[in-house]
Amino acid sequence: MIDLRALRENPEPFRASQRARGADVELVDRILAADEARRSSLSAFEGLRAQQKTISKSVGRASAEERPAILAQAKELAEQVKAAEAASNRAAEALDELAHQFANLIAGAPSGGEEDYVVLRHEGGRPRDFAAEGFTPADHLALGEGLDIIDTRRGAKVSGARFYFLKGWGMRLELALMTAALDRGTAHGFIPMTTPTLVTPQVMGGTGFLGAHSDEIYYLPADDLYLTGTSEVALAGYHTDEILDLSAGPRRYLGWSTCYRREAGAAGKDTRGIIRVHQFNKAEMFSYCRPEEAEAEHQRLLALEEEMLALVELPYRVIDTAAGDLGSSAARKFDCEAWLPTQERWMEVTSTSNCTTYQARRLAVRERREGGTAPVATLNGTLATTRWLVALLENHQMADGSVRVPEGLRPYLGGLEVIEPAGR
C-alpha cells in the first residue's frame, strides 16, 4: 500500500508515477477526496463521542429534576455516535479499497509499456554463431526429447497442456541448478526456506498479486486458499504483523518451492516445450531491509543473479523494466534475459524487484526506529528456475544432439561433462 501521508502532502509524484505506468491518474484525486471524507467523518465521530462522555459524567451530578432531560439527551447522543461511527467505518473502507487499487510509486523505472525497457548491458560473451559451426541449432524440446530428458506428450496426457515430465538427467539438471542456487544464496547469508505453496487471501492480497493479474492465480474455493506462483508470496507473509530488528542488517531468505501459474493471459505464447508452463520449480531470494538501504540491496540481488548466470555460462542482457510493465508492488525491476538461439530473441530468466514499503504496509511488517515503528522495505529476485533449462540446452548443444554441461554444474552431476542422446 502507498504512503497516504506522503500522497496527501505531495500528490504530484504519485500522479507522475501513474502517468509513467499508463495507469489511471485520476485515482490520485479520488483517493485524496476519500481521505478527506474519512478524516472528516472520523472527526465528527470523535466529537460526538466526546460530548457523549461529558453528558454521561454529568448524569451522576444532576438533580432529580434535571436527570430525565440529561438521560434523554444521552440516549439521543448514543444514537448519533453509533451512526457517526458507522459512517466513519464506511469512509475508512472506501478509502482502503481505493488505496489498494494504487500501484507502488515507481523509483527510477523508465516510462512506457512492455517494449519501452532500457538495455543496461550485455554479459556472458557473444551468442554462438551456429552457422559458422556448420549446423542449425535444435530447440530445447527437440533436444530434450532426443536426450530423453523432457516428455511433454505424457505430461499433457496426465495433466493437460503446458505440463511435462523431466526425466533422468533432465530432472537431475534442474536439481543441480536449484542446488547451485541454494549454495550461492547461503554463501551470501540467505537463510534457506522450504515454503508453503498455499496461502490465505490476506497474504496473497498483501503482496499485491490479487490485482489486474489475479486471473493468473489458481484458487481453491473450498479451502479459500491460493496456489503461489512464487515463494515471494509466502516469504512476504512470513513476518506479517511483526516488528523486526534490522539493526544488524537485512533479513535475507531463499525460498525453494514448486510454483503454479494459470498463464491465462498467455494464449498462443510459447506453447512448445517448457518455456511457459503451469508448474515449475524456483529458488527465490527475498529480503527485508530498511527503506534507505533498498536501492543498494536491489543491486546486491541483481549481482547474485548474474553470478548464477555466469556459473551456467549463458549470454544474457540486463534490462531496466518500464513502468507500465511492472507488477503493482514493484517500484523498479531489473530482468536478466538469456539468448535463445532457435528463436533469435532474449528470454527472461531472472527478475528482481524493489517493492519499497508497499508490501510491508499491507502486511504490517515494521521495524522499531527512533520515535516509534516504521514499515520496512521488501525485495525479491530469482536465483534459478526450471525455465533456465531452455536456455542451457539450446546454448550448450552440439552438432550430434548432445549437450555440454557447464563446468559450474558438473560437481552437482557427479562430474558429468556431456549429456548424450538416448541409446548412444
Side-chain angles (χ1 to χ4, degrees):
M1 185 182 291
I2 55 171
D3 184 342
L4 286 173
R5 178 180 294 180
L7 184 145
R8 189 186 309 131
E9 293 175 351
N10 185 12
E12 195 49 46
F14 293 84
R15 292 190 180 99
S17 179
Q18 288 289 91
R19 202 172 293 118
R21 285 178 176 270
D24 182 8
V25 178
E26 293 181 0
L27 180 58
V28 174
D29 295 308
R30 292 200 295 275
I31 291 174
L32 288 171
D35 182 51
E36 176 60 34
R38 178 194 64 85
R39 288 187 292 130
S40 176
S41 61
L42 180 62
S43 177
F45 164 61
E46 291 176 341
L48 285 169
R49 189 169 57 177
Q51 289 182 46
Q52 184 186 35
K53 289 179 180 178
T54 301
I55 291 294
S56 297
K57 289 178 181 178
S58 70
V59 172
R61 299 191 299 268
S63 65
E65 294 80 10
E66 295 171 328
R67 192 167 295 151
I70 293 174
L71 287 172
Q73 186 180 6
K75 182 180 179 181
E76 183 180 350
L77 267 174
E79 293 175 355
Q80 292 177 8
V81 166
K82 184 178 179 181
E85 183 179 23
S88 178
N89 289 339
R90 286 194 300 271
E93 289 170 4
L95 173 62
D96 189 62
E97 183 179 347
L98 285 172
H100 273 79
Q101 294 174 22
F102 205 97
N104 199 0
L105 189 67
I106 64 169
S111 297
E114 184 178 357
E115 302 302 322
D116 296 310
Y117 57 83
V118 174
V119 178
L120 300 178
R121 60 183 183 277
H122 287 79
E123 302 288 351
R126 293 176 62 84
R128 285 172 63 186
D129 184 350
F130 287 93
E133 296 181 32
F135 74 100
T136 301
D139 74 5
H140 74 282
L141 183 57
L143 288 163
E145 289 175 340
L147 298 169
D148 196 24
I149 62 174
I150 299 175
D151 192 335
T152 57
R153 184 177 65 83
R154 290 187 177 90
K157 180 172 66 175
V158 169
S159 303
R162 297 183 189 258
F163 285 93
Y164 58 95
F165 285 91
L166 293 180
K167 303 171 57 182
W169 287 114
M171 182 271 180
R172 292 187 63 181
L173 192 57
E174 181 192 46
L175 185 61
L177 280 167
M178 296 287 287
T179 307
L182 174 66
D183 286 349
R184 184 74 45 170
T186 53
H188 285 273
F190 286 78
I191 298 170
M193 304 273 278
T194 300
T195 63
T197 58
L198 286 164
V199 299
T200 65
Q202 292 73 28
V203 171
M204 185 64 81
T207 52
F209 282 93
L210 290 183
H213 299 290
S214 59
D215 60 346
E216 296 288 338
I217 304 169
Y218 286 104
Y219 176 59
L220 283 66
D223 305 285
D224 195 23
L225 292 171
Y226 289 92
L227 277 168
T228 58
T230 168
S231 59
E232 170 197 342
V233 179
L235 293 173
Y238 186 64
H239 286 300
T240 296
D241 294 323
E242 293 183 24
I243 298 174
L244 305 182
D245 180 3
L246 298 179
S247 59
R251 297 270 188 104
R252 299 184 178 107
Y253 300 101
L254 181 69
W256 180 323
S257 73
T258 300
C259 306
Y260 303 89
R261 296 184 185 177
R262 292 186 64 237
E263 295 290 357
K269 289 185 178 180
D270 295 321
T271 55
R272 178 174 165 81
I274 61 170
I275 295 177
R276 202 178 286 269
V277 291
H278 293 306
Q279 176 183 324
F280 56 95
N281 292 312
K282 183 154 72 110
E284 181 82 0
M285 300 177 286
F286 196 88
S287 179
Y288 294 89
C289 72
R290 289 178 167 169
E292 63 269 25
E293 297 172 353
E295 189 174 343
E297 186 71 0
H298 200 192
Q299 291 296 326
R300 180 188 179 93
L301 299 189
L302 177 59
L304 282 171
E305 292 177 339
E306 294 194 65
E307 282 187 28
M308 272 296 296
L309 289 167
L311 185 79
V312 296
E313 304 171 31
L314 290 178
Y316 66 94
R317 68 179 185 179
V318 182
I319 68 167
D320 193 353
T321 306
D325 199 29
L326 295 176
S328 63
S329 60
R332 195 173 194 182
K333 179 164 75 83
F334 300 119
D335 287 348
C336 292
E337 300 180 330
W339 180 247
L340 203 56
T342 59
Q343 296 187 25
E344 296 187 334
R345 69 175 178 92
W346 301 96
M347 178 189 71
E348 179 198 323
V349 285
T350 78
S351 176
T352 176
S353 297
N354 178 5
C355 297
T356 60
T357 61
Y358 189 84
Q359 294 175 329
R361 288 179 186 278
R362 289 172 168 234
L363 296 167
V365 185
R366 297 154 291 160
E367 63 161 329
R368 198 174 302 282
R369 306 192 71 153
E370 187 177 344
T373 63
V376 303
T378 60
L379 302 96
N380 62 80
T382 314
L383 206 50
T385 188
T386 306
R387 182 184 283 192
W388 287 34
L389 296 178
V390 175
L392 195 152
L393 292 174
E394 292 202 9
N395 281 281
H396 295 307
Q397 65 180 290
M398 295 187 281
D400 63 354
S402 60
V403 171
R404 184 182 71 84
V405 177
E407 289 188 21
L409 292 183
R410 292 174 188 175
Y412 300 96
L413 296 166
L416 181 73
E417 296 183 4
V418 177
I419 304 174
E420 296 186 339
R424 181 173 298 180

